């Protein structure tokens, strides 16, 4: 973990039409990502529909990803849940299954004070033997991790890394400034300004779209970390146009999460990586016209489709 | 469930200082509530810190409450979780442990369309043999259950009851109007306008403060349902002043959830019902001055304290 | 102002198709309201599209309403603006034009501390010779007037009345409790629980829908203040069904404000009270099908239409 | 306007202790900014406390800034108000006073549909002879300008420029992509990622902190536009540390707007540019300790102070 860098896609969780984890497709997806050269795998992130998976399904996902990774790259496992004791239960299971680190948000459902949030991370840290990564995702948990809290947790080595999915570049830079010298690994969750984040000192990116086009993010990351700014910019622009797939679903019928994750899975299905585009119940699927628009955007981005 | 009415307190979950469920205190609390004449027990609601309890702790709570209730009153069990499959897992366990109904929110952490939310409740309903109660608590899940969705679910008998913790009386009345004749049992989660909600046709109240002063809510409910409006009003006003205990904690140190639940537990401890005022980790406790203010408010409300 | 009570409709501002204030229609509307027995007129509230009126139009509205009222009932004038000095300018003009009181919100666009908000009301109070009414409308100004601030302002006689459009009945009751004995006149802005608010001690209601059916709100208010609860309830339920007119506009085309105000004006046009249903630029109008649905709801509510 | 680029500070509006616009200080501030080499002056932005200024004060500010600019650089004037007709009134006055362009937000206080927002900008555009600049500032107006709306308005030449104060870099890039080739001039309102925005294709920056350290932003802008990325980055980092002055005020006493604007004015006072640090009523001032912390941060940033 102390030198984790580069692209760490939050691996999508393929389902069978019956709603089971489609382990074969998940293995194929992990292999696809590894072949593209990603630097780590994030099993059970928001893109992996962690919030929708039962505990058994979470275990199955971690076990499968760890199995395919086989030590080639680190596997970090999402242990997202509402409260500290629940997160610790997940974290211990993920550790036992071979995860190299666990990724936790602040408590949610409840309303917390920042000091309660830092106490939460300390308790998770103390409960497991693997590093803890803090996950700042206000769109899901409806609170922010204050930059000063991140700095405090980094300074005391409670967290080893941060995934910032806030979309707030100003705060992200402040975190980089406040944690300089602590050893904290800082990752952006933004699909859309990975190039900038890396140029500013981030260690890597955790882009959901990285499932669909891992080669693109690997090229982007290499260029950005190698100071080939124009290459990184061009790649980022191409990926931004591809990201429009999350906007094809008719929002009078489909919620925001299903629109995004349904588009990623539809793309993976069209590309031949997974067998079914299904998202978890109760998410609504994309309709035929929307699938066709995803296909168009894949082709426009220069990606091969097989369906 | 088809004739559940009256006070159904969301039972607090006492903890030992070590963070275990304090089963003996929980039994004492349930007995205290039953002696006061409550009409049902809600195990594992927001007040019961459901979001902070591990699955084993949730089971322990349901088992304990079912045991003390012993069929005298219905026990409804919170099965709060982020996604449908997770909620179903909880619901099946609660059913197996003897819960008479289960209480579920919309999915959260993810962002859903209302049609996905109604699909969610249908799936939960189809998965268990006990009635499903919908829990509208936007302060926790950050979405509303639209009144039309509630009406649709009530009309098709997917949900047997609603607990409305939205604080939005206009919407609450609209639900009452739209679900008239469907058999839906409608409960308010408001500590502060239970009298009004009952006068307008609600079947009962699920007040967190009902842990602290169940006798008061039993009197209030009897008066409101018996059309003794002035008695109900006076009782409600007294309870509103007692409710100020949730505002004693210094919010520069304690989050909103810990401020409220810490006050309830402190009050129960001062009243001699439970052995420890502890809330779940990582919540901050009330300090000595805050405890003293809770004691003052209890005495002012005419309640006996033993500590 | 010290004994203002009853129905004080926030008078709609009719426009000509060219966007001028339609003074003749406004006079007819005021006469219609007075004949129905309202107890005051609120010129330039949110329903009066105060935010969209130029200063000259605001003046024209206040002048017209004061003229028709002719001392029969008090006229209160909205002086809504972003900052204190701007509000004071409006308040002085309204006072000069004969308004009996002015209605101000907290500052908005900027982000304030509650102590800055109370200072704001003190400055407005000190600048004019007429009473100041505080307007709590978080849906428009995106901050709440804390109950303790209202109590402080009432206790020091800075504000003479409150219009509460928060929709938060629990907070409303707390205000009633905290301001008891101060002489503060408390009005609800809710169309949908005027009966309850009055039964709990509110002095009156300021319902936008009162433009469309002033007779209904006058009956409701008389019944509620006269303790004829069932009459008030039945009237309130009828008005709640009428209020569904605000939901007829297709929200994929029309914003929330235009949907509500367009419905009120369409209803007034259909009833023959005003000459044009136009709202201010840039609001989108209701289409023919939506107008037909408004007509249906008027008829269903037992109101006469002439178009 | 068609080639406006670089630093366009939103000029602070100095006040006398009596709350009048301190014209002499404003002249001195404009001269200070011009001497530093800024490329335009934005009179009456959010930093200029536009929301707190009376119409006469707004006029005085525009007149003063236009006078000092004397054609050396363009002057753009904020015409912020709640509704279209009000904005047009301001825009016509600003045009008459010599402003080279006007800056308008979407309507606020009311709730609009995006199509109503584009209609609003069309109406403002049609009403004046100077270019219209769209101001996206969701923290103040509580709605976003959708990227597609900006693109539509740019494509039809309704708006000549955009000031984006959303803090949302992903959306900002999308705007740049969608408006490429339309001639739209795109400015960031971010103090904290001006360097990035310029590197990505923005034409300039409108930083409130540019009042305090215009030389820094001029250097930053020159470096960023001149592709001296490391110089720009270093300057941006220094300015980010200086920006911590907005966080010195005790937020249990001072609101967010007063904390930021009070810090800017305190800094300008300490630097000897303006005579009084006063913000508009009812904002709370910084206390002595907070002023001392601002002074420390100025010195740390290498700026000269005279008080």
């Amino acid at each position: 973990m102390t030198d984790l860098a580069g692209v760490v896609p939050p691996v999508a969780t393929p389902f069978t039409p019956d709603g089971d984890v489609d382990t074969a497709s998940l293995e194929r997806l992990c292999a696809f990502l590894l072949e593209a050269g990603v630097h780590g795998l994030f099993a059970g992130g928001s893109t992996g529909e962690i919030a929708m998976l039962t505990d058994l399904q979470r275990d199955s996902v971690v076990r499968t990803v760890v199995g395919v990774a086989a030590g080639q790259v680190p596997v970090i496992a999402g242990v997202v849940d509402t409260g500290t004791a629940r997160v610790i239960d997940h974290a211990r299971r993920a550790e036992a299954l071979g995860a190299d680190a666990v990724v936790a948000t602040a408590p949610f459902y409840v309303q917390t004070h920042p000091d309660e949030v830092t106490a939460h991370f300390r308790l998770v840290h103390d409960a497991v033997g693997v590093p803890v990564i803090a996950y700042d995702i206000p769109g899901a948990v409806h609170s922010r991790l204050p930059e000063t809290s991140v700095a405090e947790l980094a300074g005391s080595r409670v967290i080893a890394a941060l995934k910032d999915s806030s979309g707030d570049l100003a705060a992200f830079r402040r975190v980089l400034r406040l944690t300089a010298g602590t050893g904290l690994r800082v990752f952006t969750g933004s699909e859309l300004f990975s190039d900038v984040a890396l140029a500013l000192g981030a260690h890597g990116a955790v882009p959901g779209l990285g499932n669909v086009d891992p080669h693109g993010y690997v090229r982007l990351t290499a260029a950005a970390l190698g100071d080939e700014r124009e290459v990184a910019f061009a790649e980022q622009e191409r990926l931004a146009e591809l990201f429009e797939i999350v906007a094809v679903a008719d929002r009078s019928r489909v919620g925001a999460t299903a629109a995004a994750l349904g588009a990623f899975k539809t793309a993976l299905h069209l590309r031949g990586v997974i067998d079914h585009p299904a998202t978890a119940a109760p998410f609504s699927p994309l309709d035929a016209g929307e699938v066709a628009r995803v296909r168009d955007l894949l082709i426009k981005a220069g990606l091969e489709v097989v369906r």
Side-chain angles (χ1 to χ4, degrees), chain A:
Chain A
M1 271 308 296
T2 54
D3 57 359
L4 184 60
V7 184
V8 184
V11 185
T13 303
F15 291 109
T16 67
D18 288 343
D20 296 321
V21 173
D22 177 351
T23 309
S25 286
L26 178 55
E27 288 174 344
R28 224 176 300 124
L29 173 56
C30 291
F32 171 70
L33 298 171
L34 290 173
E35 284 162 19
V38 304
H39 306 89
L41 293 171
F42 178 14
S46 302
T47 300
E49 295 176 76
I50 182 77
M52 315 310 282
L53 302 179
T54 63
D55 285 358
L56 289 178
Q57 290 175 325
R58 292 180 177 209
D59 289 353
S60 168
V61 165
V62 174
R63 191 181 297 114
T64 303
V65 175
V66 166
V68 181
Q72 302 169 73
V73 299
V75 174
I76 65 178
V79 293
V80 169
D81 213 316
T82 46
T84 308
R86 296 184 65 77
V87 169
I88 288 173
D89 273 4
H90 294 299
R92 286 181 172 150
R93 276 209 322 281
E95 181 180 11
L97 291 166
D100 297 296
V102 293
V103 187
T105 69
F108 51 99
Y109 189 89
V110 296
Q111 295 169 284
T112 51
H113 185 276
D115 290 350
E116 294 167 345
V117 174
T118 52
H120 163 79
F121 281 108
R122 285 180 198 282
L123 289 164
V124 177
H125 169 267
D126 292 350
V128 289
V130 291
V132 175
I133 300 174
Y135 193 175
D136 190 15
I137 183 163
V141 305
H142 300 278
S143 69
R144 285 294 308 271
L145 281 185
E147 297 98 281
T148 46
S149 298
V150 172
E152 176 190 334
L153 292 168
S156 53
R157 305 299 191 266
V158 170
I159 59 171
L162 170 74
K163 181 191 171 187
D164 179 331
S165 293
S166 70
D168 180 344
L169 185 70
F172 186 78
R173 291 181 82 154
R174 192 165 181 239
V175 163
L176 287 171
R177 216 161 48 240
L178 294 177
T179 62
T182 64
L184 188 78
R185 310 300 285 180
V186 181
F187 292 79
T188 179
S190 172
E191 275 91 354
L192 298 171
F193 53 76
S194 295
D195 59 339
V196 166
L198 292 162
L200 292 171
H203 300 94
V206 188
L209 186 66
N211 284 278
V212 177
D213 191 0
H215 304 83
Y217 278 101
V218 167
R219 282 192 300 267
L220 183 159
T221 304
L225 294 176
D227 215 26
E228 298 177 87
R229 190 168 32 139
E230 279 169 31
V231 175
F233 176 82
E235 196 64 56
Q236 180 69 80
E237 291 291 295
R238 190 185 59 80
L239 289 162
E241 294 196 13
L242 176 60
F243 192 69
E244 299 281 334
I245 60 174
V246 308
V248 306
D250 177 357
R251 295 294 301 282
S252 75
R253 205 190 76 244
V254 181
T257 299
L261 302 187
F264 292 163
K265 287 182 156 182
T266 295
L268 285 168
H269 183 239
L270 293 170
R271 299 203 69 189
V273 180
I274 66 175
D275 287 340
H276 311 282
T279 48
F283 292 135
S284 299
L286 271 59
D287 67 21
E290 292 161 354
V291 170
R293 298 232 298 284
V294 171
R295 188 190 287 106
D296 291 346
L297 286 162
L298 289 169
I299 291 167
K300 192 175 157 205
L303 300 183
E304 202 177 348
V305 299
V306 302
R307 286 189 173 96

